[in-house]
Amino acid sequence: MAVNEISSFSGRNIWKGFGKTSLFRGLSITITKGERVLLIGPNGSGKSTLLKILAGIMHPEKGDFILNGNPVAHAPYNLIGYMGHSPMLYSPLSVTENLAITASLTNSHSSIQSLLERLNLSKYVDHRISELSQGTAFRVSLCRAILHNPQLLLLDEPTASFDEDATNRLKEYLNHWNSSGDRCGFIIATHDVRRLCSIANRIIVLKRGEIVKDSSGTFDDEDIVSLYLDAQLT
Amino acid sequence: MIWRSIITLFSKDISIELRTRETLSVQATMSLILGVICSIGAHSAMLSPSEILTVFPILIWFTFLFSSALAVAKGFEYEKDNDAITGIILTGVDPSLIYLSKVTATLFTTILGHILALIVFSLLLNIGILPYIVPFLAVSILCAIGYCSISCLLTPVALSSRLRGAMLPLISLPLMFPILFSAVETTIEIFIDHTFSWSSVWVSILLIFDVIYLTAGINLFEKVVKE
Amino acid sequence: MDLKKIFWNNTALSRSFENISLLVVFFLVAYANYMVFLAVPNERIMGPVQRIFYFHVGCAVATYMAVAFLFFASLGYLTTRSALMDILGESATEIALVFCSIVMATGMIWGKAAWNTAFRWEPRLVSFLILLVILVAIVVLRRFGNPQKTPLNSAVMGILAAINVPIVVFSVKLLPASSQLHPQVVQNRGLRDPLFVKAMIIGIIAMCCFQLILLWIRVRLGLAESQLDELETEKLVN
């Protein structure tokens, strides 16, 4: 039976290694409805790898996935929006053409034009991806990730190439994204904790493939510093 | 939904090709260059018309092999560039549909390049191809299907290695031997022996390998494109 | 049942098993040598050079066995992503390459001596040549591939290589008799003397057992390397 919403999604007992290095040794993570998660940690802690595994584009060596209490191979692609370190767009094609491909394959009825307007990308409609700056290409990539109205957003360093305006638009979009409560939530892997902490209600600190801190609530600068210090000292 | 996905994916590949014209250009140029080199060689060796006809089967398939190898690698460049293929996988479309659309698009460019090579050889080596065009094109399509099936499966494997494009011929050509062998033998039957028939054992071998490689590609493509 | 532990743990049982197996294979190969060089008479037409046939056929069967191991290990890896399956696949590839090379070399020696030509473009020889090149390609892929994706990519190539073998062998049978230049000794009932048959069977058994013990040792070596990597990683982490 097709699943249309995510109330909870878990990755349990995940094992993943790269060559000689074993990164995840039995890591488990759960996201439930209404959670807005920031995933933070030093370089090499496994943030990107974890998001790829949850998105279903990387296979763990071992691990189970539970969607709404039922075991699944991975979360259904139509309910996940993922944005990674690459724009995942065809450089010879235009912005509209790329998004039209996604819309057609996901059977999405969202208006590409209105989405582009919301993220201030209207003037790039007919530009090829190869003609765009890196930051703009990533904003288009964000459009690709949210075009099909996903239930769960997995964003890997979304603001890495964004300027202040783009970051603020993203924050505004994410703030309103689940305001009606009909979507699950998001997990954002980021180093930009200070700028994004205001939209999060849960922060997970990852270090060397292990969750060393998992705090819920609202966060200010002092909380962030304390979280980071705790993570460094453990 | 499946048909819409196939049409979308195929249109995507054709749009990219029509916009860049890179794959066709590379294939056409390579076919022309190899055709000219082989023709120069044949004339320099002062081969008689019957001797030229004897070596023609191997020359045409040698040209096909090397020009198509470049075309297939080029065709996948935009999938790996910006990790675009992961964007397609994330839409939830069946990876086997991605594979089939890729094979179909590559088949078009490969056949067009092959026809160009055939014209070059026909003009430069003075080989009459028109009486045999139908069976030869049919055999070419069968050979190209096998070639594109195995190449589209192994190109992601090659591009993720340290040798990148150089790895592709190393891993795909050995698997292509039975298909190429059969293509050469069938071409000999068509142009030289004039004993070609659709029930020929070489046609059977081509068909068997086409089915095997297409089936393998459909089942294994997902595993080679995901991490 | 932890297969990894059975293979690797240096228990008295595993040591005894290995020593006994080595002894058995040693005696089998020695017996095969005795049969081939001392027991069987010279073949009437080809003379002493025909004796290479017994090792040639044995190595051919051992090659097919190794390719079968490669196929099941590749399938096993794609299904389970088990490191042991990857090690088994890698070992089977190398062993198959060695035995395939021996088949080609012995075939060429025999061909040159018996028919004054090292290689003829006939289906059975070409099918083995194709297999040899495919196995070399897999070894190159393992050597130069992306280290993170090598096990998966090698498993895919292993399946394709293994599929090729029966198809090509089957295709050979479709070809007309006139193109079958490889001696069809067994099918044409060329082994009249019972000693010839016995020597061939002993040769096949000896080569197959030799192949199995080589595979066992190579897999244990692979597991040892993997264990060493894990220990090094733990040392780095701690």
Side-chain angles (χ1 to χ4, degrees):
Chain A
M1 196 164 74
V3 176
N4 292 321
E5 67 170 279
I6 298 177
S7 54
S8 77
F9 179 56
S10 305
R12 291 195 315 202
N13 195 29
I14 296 172
W15 287 70
K16 180 69 181 175
F18 296 97
K20 293 183 182 182
T21 319
S22 194
L23 182 60
F24 297 139
R25 295 177 164 203
L27 177 132
S28 295
I29 184 171
T30 302
I31 180 165
T32 52
K33 204 158 192 166
E35 285 189 325
R36 302 147 161 256
V37 183
L38 287 193
L39 187 62
I40 66 176
N43 291 335
S45 55
K47 303 187 295 296
S48 300
T49 307
L50 180 59
L51 288 191
K52 283 182 183 176
I53 289 173
L54 293 175
I57 56 172
M58 185 182 276
H59 284 297
E61 283 152 24
K62 266 194 290 189
D64 306 306
F65 298 97
I66 311 290
L67 176 67
N68 301 339
N70 301 312
V72 290
H74 53 75
Y77 293 115
N78 61 320
L79 299 180
I80 296 254
Y82 172 80
M83 180 182 154
H85 283 194
S86 305
M88 299 183 198
L89 301 163
Y90 289 96
S91 43
L93 299 180
S94 70
V95 169
T96 317
E97 284 168 336
N98 270 285
L99 294 176
I101 291 169
T102 304
S104 173
L105 294 175
T106 56
N107 204 22
S108 163
H109 302 293
S110 302
S111 165
I112 294 174
Q113 290 301 329
S114 61
L115 192 57
L116 289 172
E117 270 170 32
R118 218 165 153 186
L119 290 170
N120 197 24
L121 290 168
S122 306
K123 56 186 174 187
Y124 301 109
V125 158
D126 293 319
H127 281 65
R128 295 188 195 186
I129 302 299
S130 55
E131 295 166 4
L132 303 178
S133 68
Q134 191 179 31
T136 312
F138 274 101
R139 280 157 61 194
V140 177
S141 178
L142 180 63
C143 288
R144 182 200 52 74
I146 61 181
L147 186 61
H148 58 290
N149 284 318
Q151 284 278 306
L152 174 64
L153 275 180
L154 303 171
L155 308 178
D156 192 356
E157 311 270 7
T159 58
S161 304
F162 283 10
D163 57 22
E164 198 67 36
D165 175 60
T167 304
N168 289 334
R169 283 181 187 268
L170 172 67
K171 282 171 67 175
E172 189 198 324
Y173 177 80
L174 290 174
N175 263 327
H176 288 104
W177 183 65
N178 201 21
S179 53
S180 52
D182 57 349
R183 297 191 178 105
C184 181
F186 56 73
I187 305 177
I188 300 178
T190 185
H191 288 297
D192 200 1
V193 193
R194 284 203 162 86
R195 283 206 287 184
L196 295 176
C197 64
S198 58
I199 60 169
N201 59 16
R202 182 181 172 194
I203 293 184
I204 296 173
V205 183
L206 214 55
K207 190 177 178 188
R208 287 196 209 130
E210 285 179 26
I211 294 175
V212 295
K213 199 91 179 173
D214 189 346
S215 303
S216 297
T218 54
F219 303 95
D220 59 23
D221 277 2
E222 267 185 44
D223 298 320
I224 306 301
V225 169
S226 144
L227 274 168
Y228 258 115
L229 282 174
D230 284 348
Q232 293 298 326
L233 287 171
T234 49
Chain B
M1 185 70 188
I2 291 178
W3 281 112
R4 192 164 80 180
S5 300
I6 292 174
I7 290 166
T8 305
L9 291 167
F10 183 70
S11 308
K12 177 257 300 173
D13 288 318
I14 296 297
S15 302
I16 291 174
E17 183 48 39
L18 287 174
R19 190 152 309 165
T20 61
R21 288 185 287 274
E22 286 174 0
T23 309
L24 262 174
S25 306
V26 160
Q27 177 122 30
T29 311
M30 200 61 183
S31 297
L32 184 67
I33 291 171
L34 286 172
V36 167
I37 290 172
C38 293
S39 305
I40 290 172
H43 286 296
S44 300
M46 291 197 280
L47 298 178
S48 66
S50 62
E51 285 168 334
I52 287 174
L53 197 60
T54 307
V55 300
F56 167 71
I58 193 63
L59 292 179
I60 187 73
W61 290 109
F62 169 82
T63 305
F64 167 84
L65 208 57
F66 284 96
S67 57
S68 301
L70 290 174
V72 171
K74 200 83 195 85
F76 257 88
E77 212 172 86
Y78 291 115
E79 303 291 347
K80 279 291 177 186
D81 190 27
N82 286 339
D83 205 10
I85 195 163
T86 305
I88 300 292
I89 290 168
L90 283 166
T91 62
V93 72
D94 192 342
S96 59
L97 295 181
I98 305 173
Y99 169 75
L100 284 171
S101 82
K102 212 75 207 141
V103 169
T104 313
T106 313
L107 191 63
F108 268 101
T109 51
T110 308
I111 292 291
L112 282 172
H114 191 52
I115 290 172
L116 179 66
L118 189 64
I119 294 169
V120 167
F121 276 113
S122 167
L123 293 172
L124 296 181
L125 294 179
N126 200 28
I127 295 173
I129 56 169
L130 280 174
Y132 315 106
I133 194 74
V134 169
F136 183 70
L137 275 182
V139 165
S140 300
I141 289 170
L142 285 179
C143 181
I145 289 172
Y147 182 80
C148 295
S149 305
I150 203 66
S151 299
C152 288
L153 174 63
L154 295 180
T155 304
V157 171
L159 292 180
S160 68
S161 74
R162 295 209 297 271
L163 297 180
R164 297 186 67 82
M167 177 67 85
L168 181 60
L170 298 180
I171 54 176
S172 66
L173 287 183
L175 293 164
M176 275 297 295
F177 281 165
I179 292 180
L180 283 168
F181 206 71
S182 305
V184 169
E185 290 288 341
T186 337
T187 308
I188 291 171
E189 282 179 357
I190 294 170
F191 283 94
I192 301 170
D193 299 339
H194 308 298
T195 56
F196 175 78
S197 88
W198 293 107
S199 55
S200 157
V201 69
W202 302 111
V203 175
S204 305
I205 291 172
L206 275 175
L207 281 167
I208 289 168
F209 275 97
D210 282 353
V211 169
I212 297 287
Y213 285 161
L214 262 176
T215 310
I218 287 168
N219 286 295
L220 297 172
F221 187 72
E222 179 180 1
K223 300 194 189 309
V224 299
V225 291
K226 285 188 182 173
E227 291 182 59
Chain C
M1 184 172 67
D2 191 339
L3 286 173
K4 216 166 156 178
K5 283 203 169 97
I6 290 172
F7 266 102
W8 173 240
N9 276 359
N10 204 19
T11 60
L13 180 65
S14 68
R15 279 201 306 272
S16 309
F17 174 76
E18 196 167 289
N19 293 335
I20 292 168
S21 305
L22 280 166
L23 216 57
V24 167
V25 168
F26 175 79
F27 280 115
L28 264 174
V29 172
Y31 185 52
N33 274 281
Y34 160 76
M35 286 295 301
V36 169
F37 291 109
L38 295 172
V40 295
N42 271 344
E43 200 270 337
R44 189 160 48 91
I45 297 165
M46 284 184 277
V49 77
Q50 182 271 341
R51 295 168 194 270
I52 209 170
F53 157 83
Y54 303 105
F55 295 112
H56 177 76
V57 170
C59 287
V61 175
T63 306
Y64 286 141
M65 242 174 88
V67 172
F69 272 109
L70 172 62
F71 176 72
F72 287 112
S74 300
L75 212 56
Y77 182 81
L78 287 178
T79 331
T80 62
R81 303 290 169 117
S82 153
L84 178 61
M85 288 293 130
D86 176 46
I87 293 168
L88 182 60
E90 185 180 8
S91 310
T93 306
E94 291 171 6
I95 304 290
L97 180 59
V98 165
F99 278 94
C100 193
S101 307
I102 295 172
V103 170
M104 293 303 298
T106 51
M108 285 183 178
I109 294 168
W110 187 14
K112 188 71 182 170
W115 305 294
N116 203 32
T117 178
F119 192 84
R120 297 188 82 154
W121 284 95
E122 74 89 42
R124 203 176 298 264
L125 279 92
V126 171
S127 71
F128 251 91
L129 182 63
I130 291 170
L131 180 61
L132 180 74
V133 179
I134 291 173
L135 291 168
V136 168
I138 299 175
V139 168
V140 168
L141 181 64
R142 279 196 175 269
R143 175 72 179 82
F144 294 106
N146 179 347
Q148 287 160 25
K149 293 207 76 178
T150 289
L152 178 74
N153 293 338
S154 304
V156 168
M157 279 296 289
I159 287 176
L160 290 171
I163 288 171
N164 250 278
V165 167
I167 301 297
V168 172
V169 167
F170 173 71
S171 306
V172 160
K173 294 189 193 318
L174 292 178
L175 292 165
S178 55
S179 65
Q180 309 278 3
L181 299 167
H182 188 279
Q184 308 284 313
V185 174
V186 175
Q187 290 92 318
N188 295 344
R189 299 181 189 275
L191 301 172
R192 300 281 169 85
D193 194 321
L195 267 177
F196 286 164
V197 176
K198 189 177 173 186
M200 188 187 79
I201 292 170
I202 299 290
I204 291 172
I205 294 172
M207 287 300 109
C208 289
C209 291
F210 187 37
Q211 180 252 316
L212 285 171
I213 197 68
L214 281 177
L215 192 63
W216 167 271
I217 292 169
R218 181 61 186 87
V219 168
R220 290 200 71 206
L221 186 64
L223 282 169
E225 284 171 347
S226 152
Q227 191 119 346
L228 183 64
D229 287 344
E230 276 176 27
L231 289 169
E232 277 179 3
T233 309
E234 271 181 38
K235 197 176 159 189
L236 274 172
V237 167
N238 298 327

